[in-house]
Amino acid sequence: MPTPTLDSILNPEPLQVSRSITASSAEASAITFNDFQISESLKARLSAAGFITPTPVQAGAIPPALEGDDILATASTGTGKTLSFLIPMIERLEEISVPSTRGKKTPVLSLILLPTRELAMQVLDAFHKICPTLKTDAVLVCGGLSENTQMEQISRGPRLIVATPGRLEDFLRRKAVNLKDVDMLVLDEVDRMLDMGFLPSIRRIVAALPKDRQTMCYSATLDANIREIVKDYVQTPVRVEIGLTSHPVDTVELRVYTVMQDQKLSQLDKMLNEEDGTYLVFSRTKHGADRIGRKLEKLGHEVEIIHGDRSQSQRSAALKSFATGRSRILVATDVAARGIDISNIAHVVNYDLPNGSDDFVHRIGRTGRAGAKGIASTFITPLEKGDARKLERELKIKFAWNEADKNLAKEERNKPVDLSKPSGDLLLMETRSWKNADGSVKESAPYSVPQRSRSGSGGSRNGAGGGFNRSGGGRSQGGNAGRRTGGKTRGR
């Protein structure tokens, strides 16, 4: 990539596009996948997989991509982006005959970069669904999974790599993968990859690819900053835009519930008991997600939890349980939910307000997908009404405002210890244990502070109703006052 000059920085060239396409749902519904210029075999497999009518982004992006054009597309989450780049990619791979290499592995011809493991795994699953006989022709390269297994799979010569930037850059640096023959590159969720700090990795990866490749870029938003970055990767692309990308879709009913902080759990439980369907619940923090999940389980609900402190196996198992319907509720943080691509989520709940309008759109974009109806409910405290009004103004939306029942049960939090009863609750906080000679553990009665003699005297001075002892200026009241522990419970 050429070194930028001062003039190019001060006066950047605008992104040049060959043409723009704005596809509507009505236009997309007028055609089927059989109308595309793809092989009969691929048409049959799409039909067998249940894909009949393309979504607007598929109708807009697939035809020019099949002609070899670069694509720059913006569309809301859940609009069918995956198939819009997989179909042209599969058609290209099937057109290329693989010559006999006499023991040498075939080169990597296609590369898909995505921001998260979960999203990469879902794209690979979609590829296998359409190409069930090509299990070894595509491999996953991402962090959180066995490095040795991924290297061994790459050594077999797959033609498609689905990857996250960090792990792929690491393999590239160690010369464990060769990308000099890549013919098609897909950059999915470019805006999210930039938010997650992947731009340096993307630049180094793209620098290792041929310049005469075909590139398809997808982003939920396309502001000036993203335009400036992607113009280095695409050449006079076809611009595909599907409606408003920074705006909630019209199929989602937007609700706000004004509720006290300690009644949010009861409000959520009430909704779960009154309305059917699956629920994706967003918490601002990892600790909060764990707490909400535990409380819902105690109320009898089937719950899964995902956040950044969960292992990859735990996150995968949670997503599978939620996607297959074994668990009705998934509690998640924003970062962990970036890669969730699950259809038919009936209800999204913002248990905590998101940090901004972009996160709000991202969250509620998990419901009301592919034309289906959905509900998005946001819990706010009375002090947060101004923040919710700000969301309405920024996104040009209108909430259905609701006041929660003031008689809802209040969530019990950890109660403070009553220090006025030194012989009661405080003493119960502390026990002592030791090992017997046989190795077994014996636990003592609640621990009590022994009486200390007053400095300079041979005995203790006792007052009415309990001891009054001094040692080094400290004072304790009550005959055997319990000692406070210094341990702290760690959250998040």
Side-chain angles (χ1 to χ4, degrees):
M1 187 174 299
T3 302
T5 63
L6 179 60
D7 182 67
S8 67
I9 294 173
L10 296 177
N11 302 289
E13 295 181 4
L15 176 66
Q16 300 292 330
V17 300
S18 61
R19 65 184 188 276
S20 295
I21 297 174
T22 303
S24 67
S25 299
E27 292 169 340
S29 62
I31 62 174
T32 68
F33 284 106
N34 286 333
D35 295 318
F36 293 139
Q37 299 300 310
I38 56 179
S39 68
E40 294 301 321
S41 172
L42 181 52
K43 290 177 182 178
R45 279 175 280 148
L46 288 169
S47 178
F51 300 116
I52 307 299
T53 303
T55 65
V57 70
Q58 292 163 2
I62 290 175
L66 289 170
E67 295 173 3
D69 290 322
D70 283 2
I71 302 295
L72 179 57
T74 49
S76 301
T77 302
T79 52
K81 292 183 294 179
T82 301
L83 273 189
S84 75
F85 59 74
L86 275 184
I87 289 176
M89 184 173 284
I90 292 170
E91 180 71 10
R92 176 80 61 84
L93 289 174
E94 293 182 348
E95 286 177 352
I96 301 173
S97 60
V98 182
S100 174
T101 55
R102 296 185 179 181
K104 295 182 180 180
K105 65 181 183 181
T106 55
V108 178
L109 299 178
S110 299
L111 172 63
I112 303 173
L113 288 180
L114 309 109
T116 66
R117 288 186 295 263
E118 288 80 8
L119 191 54
M121 294 166 71
Q122 289 163 5
V123 168
L124 190 63
D125 287 342
F127 176 84
H128 288 153
K129 187 175 182 179
I130 302 171
C131 303
T133 62
L134 299 178
K135 292 291 186 182
T136 61
D137 209 28
V139 300
L140 183 69
V141 174
C142 63
L145 300 176
S146 170
E147 187 177 284
N148 292 334
T149 298
Q150 293 176 41
M151 283 190 171
E152 192 273 333
Q153 291 174 338
I154 291 173
S155 69
R156 297 176 186 173
R159 296 189 297 164
L160 167 61
I161 288 180
V162 183
T164 53
R167 174 60 63 85
L168 182 61
E169 184 196 12
D170 180 48
F171 281 9
L172 193 62
R173 178 180 55 80
R174 292 153 60 181
K175 295 182 169 50
V177 62
N178 189 333
L179 303 177
K180 67 180 181 63
D181 294 302
V182 168
D183 185 57
M184 181 181 285
L185 167 68
V186 173
L187 299 173
D188 193 15
E189 299 209 9
V190 174
D191 52 337
R192 292 301 173 192
M193 288 199 284
L194 298 185
D195 287 345
M196 296 169 72
F198 283 135
L199 180 57
S201 296
I202 293 171
R203 289 195 184 280
R204 286 188 280 269
I205 291 169
V206 173
L209 307 180
K211 294 187 182 300
D212 59 347
R213 66 182 185 273
Q214 181 181 11
T215 302
M216 303 177 70
C217 290
Y218 293 80
S219 180
T221 59
L222 196 62
D223 58 26
N225 182 48
I226 296 176
R227 283 174 177 267
E228 184 63 21
I229 291 169
V230 300
K231 76 184 181 78
D232 292 331
Y233 307 133
V234 293
Q235 297 182 18
T236 56
V238 174
R239 176 79 169 88
V240 180
E241 186 172 7
I242 312 301
L244 295 172
T245 57
S246 58
H247 189 280
V249 294
D250 294 334
T251 54
V252 178
E253 178 186 347
L254 303 174
R255 302 176 182 173
V256 159
Y257 289 89
T258 304
V259 58
M260 301 305 293
Q261 184 67 36
D262 58 2
Q263 292 179 308
K264 286 184 178 181
L265 187 71
S266 294
Q267 176 62 36
L268 179 55
D269 181 52
K270 182 174 183 288
M271 291 162 57
L272 287 163
N273 292 329
E274 292 178 354
E275 300 185 54
D276 297 330
T278 53
Y279 278 66
L280 174 57
V281 180
F282 281 100
S283 167
R284 184 179 293 118
T285 66
K286 294 175 281 189
H287 171 71
D290 284 332
R291 184 183 61 79
I292 295 166
R294 288 194 304 267
K295 297 275 188 176
L296 288 174
E297 285 179 340
K298 287 182 180 179
L299 292 171
H301 300 290
E302 294 293 328
V303 185
E304 296 293 344
I305 304 168
I306 61 169
H307 55 62
D309 285 348
R310 302 284 246 176
S311 68
Q312 179 59 36
S313 59
Q314 287 175 317
R315 292 163 73 174
S316 297
L319 286 173
K320 183 177 181 181
S321 178
F322 183 63
T324 56
R326 288 201 302 270
S327 297
R328 184 187 177 196
I329 308 164
L330 179 66
V331 184
T333 55
D334 284 300
V335 172
R338 295 294 185 208
I340 294 177
D341 188 15
I342 298 173
S343 302
N344 304 318
I345 297 176
H347 208 136
V348 167
V349 176
N350 294 312
Y351 197 91
D352 301 311
L353 264 177
N355 291 323
S357 57
D358 285 346
D359 285 329
F360 179 84
V361 173
H362 166 75
R363 286 181 178 188
I364 67 174
R366 302 303 166 182
T367 187
R369 308 179 77 169
K373 296 290 185 182
I375 301 172
S377 296
T378 301
F379 293 172
I380 63 168
T381 63
L383 293 176
E384 293 173 326
K385 283 186 177 181
D387 296 321
R389 295 293 187 192
K390 183 180 179 182
L391 279 176
E392 285 186 313
R393 293 192 301 271
E394 288 182 354
L395 297 174
K396 295 179 175 59
I397 57 176
K398 185 66 178 175
F399 288 124
W401 288 78
N402 302 273
E403 292 283 340
D405 184 353
K406 290 181 171 53
N407 295 319
L408 287 171
K410 295 184 178 180
E411 181 181 354
E412 286 195 16
R413 301 295 185 104
N414 293 331
K415 297 179 179 178
V417 176
D418 188 353
L419 297 179
S420 67
K421 300 177 180 179
S423 60
D425 295 343
L426 187 60
L427 292 178
L428 295 177
M429 291 177 62
E430 184 117 16
T431 59
R432 288 291 183 268
S433 61
W434 61 88
K435 286 187 177 180
N436 295 321
D438 60 359
S440 61
V441 177
K442 180 179 179 180
E443 190 171 274
S444 73
Y447 178 75
S448 60
V449 179
Q451 294 281 347
R452 292 187 181 181
S453 61
R454 185 177 180 182
S455 176
S457 66
S460 63
R461 178 181 176 184
N462 297 324
F468 178 53
N469 305 322
R470 291 178 181 172
S471 176
R475 175 181 293 187
S476 67
Q477 291 183 333
N480 288 319
R483 186 173 60 195
R484 292 186 67 185
T485 60
K488 294 180 180 180
T489 301
R490 288 195 166 189
R492 302 193 188 179

